[in-house]
């Protein structure tokens, strides 16, 4: 066998199986951009010829990190709105001043595709600098056929400008746009009849998402949308139970959703339904922190039910302007009391599962893409424990 390259003298954190899969003196053999061996050095294949050998010098090697829930492409920012809240302004005052999600909609509609790409690149670079090799990017700030397509084209372009795998999600059902004010059902009809077919025709969407909440779309409206999306061959995921329990977790499970995300108000029945359906719980501590929420997601119910838990930055301008997976893991540990194993799995194995890509990425196993993160730390716990510190030594995507 000829390999290119071989990473040796590594402390592997493979994330295979249910634990962290630690191999103290390990090696990863790559050929054609994929892993052909990940295990103990003593078990390296015989007759191995390597074009390049990289000595990891005892560093920890994990799978490349996966950010499975972001709104990375948007126009403008909401810093002024943030400042107004700190000065005591309420929701109505901010809305009258042009703030809120519709301010991002206006800025996104006004921006060109090139401008959206240019503004998103620094955010993507920040994620990549902390070991991210796969990122999901949602639309949802355009809310017209043309602007949703523009957003998703910009997201696709990011994957051509950087060495990163980009998966796109159509989130037209993010908010009711001003031209449909008071007519959320009519807007869902528009998304089904016009937005989704146009995005599918241009191959711009890998999945469909929606926001089910009192301030957004009802479970009945989401049910119609998801039924239509699945008829079009698109997997679904759901912003669910963030501000109240509308039983979004169970709704997502009924549609076999890849994930349900946020989930602060999910009950034990919703957790069990997700576990049965294989729907991953994507937890977003950045939004919990930024919004100063009090209702913790039901971690114990997820554990008891066997619901898989992933983590993500939820990078967005209004509720989680966060581009650090490392800080996200620390937040999950300190705020949600998740374990080191759960946090690392949340940004690797379970994040891959939440994107339907566990067969390709998320663990260090033969047959998967050689997406690695090499860290200058003594133990995996350091990746969760430290704040404001980036110990990434090298990021490898598809062996390069």
């Amino acid at each position: 066998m000829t390999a290119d390259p071989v990473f040796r003298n590594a402390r592997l954190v493979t994330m295979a199986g249910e634990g962290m899969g630690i191999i103290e003196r390990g090696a990863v053999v790559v050929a054609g951009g994929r892993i052909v061996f990940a295990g103990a050095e003593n078990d390296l294949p015989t007759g191995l010829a390597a074009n390049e050998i990289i000595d990891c010098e005892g560093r920890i090697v994990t799978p490349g990190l996966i950010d499975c829930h972001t709104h990375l492409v948007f126009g403008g920012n909401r810093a002024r709105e943030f400042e107004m809240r700190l000065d005591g302004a309420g929701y109505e005052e901010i809305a009258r001043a042009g703030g809120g999600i519709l301010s991002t909609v206006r800025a996104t509609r006004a921006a060109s595709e090139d401008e959206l790409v240019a503004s998103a690149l620094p955010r993507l670079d920040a994620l990549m600098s902390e070991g991210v090799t796969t990122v999901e990017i949602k639309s949802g700030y355009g809310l017209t056929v043309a602007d949703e397509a523009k957003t998703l084209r910009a997201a696709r372009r990011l994957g051509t400008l950087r060495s990163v795998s980009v998966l796109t999600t159509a989130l037209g059902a993010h908010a009711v746009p001003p031209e449909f004010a008071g007519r959320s059902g009519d807007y869902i009809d528009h998304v089904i009849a016009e937005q989704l077919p146009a995005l599918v025709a241009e191959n711009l969407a890998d999945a469909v998402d929606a926001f089910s909440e009192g301030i957004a779309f009802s479970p009945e409206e989401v049910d119609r949308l998801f039924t239509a999306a699945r008829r079009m061959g698109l997997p679904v995921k759901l912003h669910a139970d963030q501000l109240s329990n509308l039983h979004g977790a169970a709704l997502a499970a009924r549609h076999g959703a890849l994930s349900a995300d946020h989930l602060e108000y999910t009950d034990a029945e919703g957790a069990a339904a997700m576990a049965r359906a294989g729907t991953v719980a994507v937890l977003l501590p950045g939004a919990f922190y930024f919004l100063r929420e009090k209702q913790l997601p039901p971690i114990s119910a997820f554990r008891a039910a066997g619901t898989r838990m992933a983590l993500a930055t939820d990078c967005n301008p209004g509720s989680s302007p966060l581009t650090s997976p490392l800080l996200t893991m620390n937040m999950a540990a300190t705020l949600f009391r998740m374990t080191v194993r759960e946090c690392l799995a949340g940004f690797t194995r379970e994040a891959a599962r939440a994107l339907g890509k566990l067969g390709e990425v998320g663990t260090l196993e033969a047959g998967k893409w050689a997406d690695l993160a090499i860290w200058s730390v003594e133990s995996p716990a350091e990746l969760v424990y430290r704040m404001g510190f980036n110990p990434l030594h090298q990021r490898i995507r598809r062996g390069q």
Side-chain angles (χ1 to χ4, degrees), residues 190-233:
H190 164 75
V191 173
I192 292 170
E194 299 184 42
Q195 282 190 25
L196 289 186
L199 299 177
V200 168
E202 206 174 330
N203 191 31
L204 289 175
D206 298 310
V208 170
D209 199 347
F211 183 21
S212 181
E213 194 55 74
I215 62 172
F217 299 96
S218 71
E220 293 75 20
E221 290 165 341
V222 172
D223 184 73
R224 285 199 292 117
L225 173 64
F226 281 5
T227 299
R230 295 188 69 195
R231 279 201 304 263
M232 297 179 197

Side-chain angles (χ1 to χ4, degrees), residues 81-394:
E81 178 182 326
F82 175 70
E83 183 180 25
M84 289 177 68
R85 279 203 306 272
L86 295 178
D87 287 337
Y91 176 84
E92 289 187 7
E93 182 180 350
I94 290 170
R96 284 196 303 270
I101 188 172
L102 293 183
S103 68
T104 301
V105 171
R106 287 192 296 272
T108 302
R109 288 179 175 183
S112 69
E113 183 182 320
D114 287 344
E115 288 169 335
L116 291 176
V117 170
S119 65
L121 276 172
R123 295 188 282 270
L124 178 59
D125 288 341
L127 295 177
M128 292 171 61
S129 75
E130 293 192 3
V132 169
T133 51
T134 299
V135 61
E136 183 256 21
I137 302 175
K138 303 178 190 296
S139 63
Y141 294 118
L143 310 184
T144 67
V145 174
D147 290 302
E148 288 292 288
K150 176 180 66 176
T151 300
L152 293 175
R153 279 196 299 268
R156 290 274 203 233
R157 279 178 57 189
L158 293 174
T160 68
L161 296 171
R162 294 291 187 270
S163 179
V164 65
S165 299
V166 172
L167 295 168
T168 55
T169 297
L171 181 56
H174 191 198
V176 180
E179 53 269 27
F180 282 89
R183 298 186 295 125
S184 60
D186 290 343
Y187 178 63
I188 289 294
D189 290 340
H190 164 75
V191 173
I192 292 170
E194 299 184 42
Q195 282 190 25
L196 289 186
L199 299 177
V200 168
E202 206 174 330
N203 191 31
L204 289 175
D206 298 310
V208 170
D209 199 347
F211 183 21
S212 181
E213 194 55 74
I215 62 172
F217 299 96
S218 71
E220 293 75 20
E221 290 165 341
V222 172
D223 184 73
R224 285 199 292 117
L225 173 64
F226 281 5
T227 299
R230 295 188 69 195
R231 279 201 304 263
M232 297 179 197
L234 292 169
V236 298
K237 54 187 74 172
L238 183 64
H239 287 60
D241 302 341
Q242 181 184 9
L243 306 175
S244 63
N245 186 11
L246 295 183
H247 306 290
L251 170 62
R254 284 199 301 276
H255 284 278
L258 292 172
S259 71
D261 305 29
H262 287 291
L263 302 173
E264 280 83 348
Y265 284 84
T266 296
D267 55 26
E269 291 77 11
M274 290 176 63
R276 290 192 298 270
T279 298
V280 177
V282 178
L283 306 177
L284 306 170
F288 180 92
Y289 163 84
F290 194 81
L291 298 175
R292 290 191 267 187
E293 294 179 2
K294 303 299 182 185
Q295 177 79 20
L296 290 164
I299 303 297
S300 59
F302 292 141
R303 288 172 178 155
T307 312
R308 303 286 184 164
M309 293 184 288
L311 291 171
T313 63
D314 189 21
C315 176
N316 76 76
S319 63
S320 187
L322 175 62
T323 52
S324 171
L326 295 175
L327 181 56
T328 304
M329 285 194 283
N330 181 270
M331 287 179 174
T334 56
L335 297 174
F336 298 168
R337 293 294 186 261
M338 292 177 70
T339 66
V340 168
R341 176 185 60 80
E342 288 170 337
C343 289
L344 290 174
F347 263 104
T348 55
R349 181 180 67 234
E350 303 310 329
R353 197 188 308 273
L355 295 176
K357 295 296 180 182
L358 186 56
E360 295 288 310
V361 292
T363 65
L364 303 182
E365 295 181 275
K368 297 194 177 183
W369 288 114
D371 291 356
L372 321 175
I374 304 173
W375 308 93
S376 296
V377 294
E378 292 297 318
S379 74
E382 279 191 68
L383 299 176
V384 180
Y385 149 78
R386 300 191 65 160
M387 295 183 289
F389 174 72
N390 182 3
L392 185 71
H393 172 71
Q394 197 168 20

Side-chain angles (χ1 to χ4, degrees), residues 23-37:
I23 299 172
E24 283 297 334
R25 189 174 179 84
V28 178
V29 180
V30 179
R34 292 189 181 269
I35 298 170
V36 294
F37 172 86

